[in-house]
């Protein structure tokens, strides 16, 4: 049995059920929800509760919140959202790509001590514990500060036993370097998930990641480039190759965020147009399409259950 920390306490991994493995409940920047809630969408808590209630009514049981401190994580908001809706929420610790100056000069050991505290004692002075570790690199490759965080996350894994999710830039195959560093740190690859892997259509690269023993996060839906249709083709090819149990499908969608009037992707209107289904795009749109493409109902029903559970258990 594997126990997973949710924001309301530990649960058995067998009880995670239908799980979205990479979403955001509320995303902004470090300290914003706590200091400047006026920068967030009006009534953001109502948007969050409404989005989670709709998801729950459609069968979603668990959401992994991939929001690190630099993305504006607020575990009190996560706990209230879980309490009010009954959806399990798993918080993460680690860091995304917005690094403060001190990280480059900090040791991985020092950084790891903070992440370990988030898992063993609790986040932000609460007793809410992180259930997954996260590190990030994007199109510029693994920058020095990101390598520090990645090695810190590896060391936090050795201490806590938690699985690791990696924000990665799959079109640039940045996962190759992230995996190499984690291997140097002695992390078992069956505890690692390469996220945003459906931002590429390069199956050779994706099969290489699976050959290493890792999980794949196909967690950008609907997305724009590649198109949703191309993402479905990639998903189908991986299912046909027998890897359904190592895929974590999700949306990377924020139920609420800061108001970013000058950011075209950030306005609520633009987001609504891009994906009116929110957390239910996969269930409402992708699953019927997979069925038409010939994927069996049994496999479709297992997709949001087996991959996430196996990821938390390290079962490949
Ligand atoms: Zn994300």
């Amino acid at each position: 049995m594997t126990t997973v920390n949710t924001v309301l306490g530990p649960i058995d991994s067998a009880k995670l059920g239908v799980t979205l493995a990479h979403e955001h409940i509320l995303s902004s920047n470090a300290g914003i929800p706590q200091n400047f809630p006026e920068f967030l969408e009006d009534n953001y808590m109502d948007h969050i509760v409404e989005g989670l209630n709709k998801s729950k009514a459609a069968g979603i049981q668990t959401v992994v919140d991939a929001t690190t401190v630099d993305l504006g994580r607020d575990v009190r908001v996560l706990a209230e959202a879980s309490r009010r809706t009954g959806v399990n929420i798993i918080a993460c610790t680690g860091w995304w790509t917005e690094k403060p100056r001190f990280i480059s000069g900090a040791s991985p050991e020092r950084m790891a001590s903070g992440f370990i505290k988030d898992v063993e004692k609790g986040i932000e002075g609460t007793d809410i514990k992180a259930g997954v570790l996260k590190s990030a690199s994007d199109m510029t490759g693994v920058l020095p500060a990101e390598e520090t965080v990645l090695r810190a996350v590896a060391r936090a894994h050795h201490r806590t036993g938690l699985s690791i999710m990696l924000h990665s830039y799959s079109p640039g195959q940045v996962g190759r370097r992230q995996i190499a560093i984690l291997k140097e740190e002695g992390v078992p690859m069956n505890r690692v998930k390469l996220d945003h892997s459906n931002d590429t259509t390069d199956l050779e690269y994706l099969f290489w990641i699976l050959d290493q023993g890792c999980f794949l996060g196909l967690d950008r839906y609907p997305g724009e480039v590649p198109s949703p249709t191309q993402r479905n083709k990639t998903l189908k090819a991986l299912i046909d190759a027998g890897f359904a149990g190592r895929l974590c499908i999700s949306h990377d969608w924020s139920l609420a965020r800061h108001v970013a009037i000058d950011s075209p992707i950030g306005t609520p209107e633009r987001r609504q147009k891009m994906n009116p289904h929110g957390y239910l795009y996969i269930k409402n749109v992708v699953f019927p399409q997979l069925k038409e493409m010939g994927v069996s109902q049994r496999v479709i029903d297992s997709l949001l259950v087996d991959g996430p559970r196996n990821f938390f258990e390290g079962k490949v």
Side-chain angles (χ1 to χ4, degrees), residues 22-24 66-67 71 96 134 167 196 219-220 252-253:
H22 186 135
E23 305 290 351
H24 299 273
T67 311
L71 279 166
W96 187 63
K134 178 172 176 179
H167 168 108
H196 312 323
D219 43 33
R220 289 234 167 108
D252 196 16
W253 189 256

Side-chain angles (χ1 to χ4, degrees), residues 173 176 200-211 238:
Q173 304 197 354
R176 290 185 188 273
T200 184
T201 54
D202 183 346
L203 284 169
E204 197 181 326
Y205 172 60
L206 298 182
F207 284 127
W208 177 83
I209 295 172
L210 290 164
D211 280 346
L238 294 166

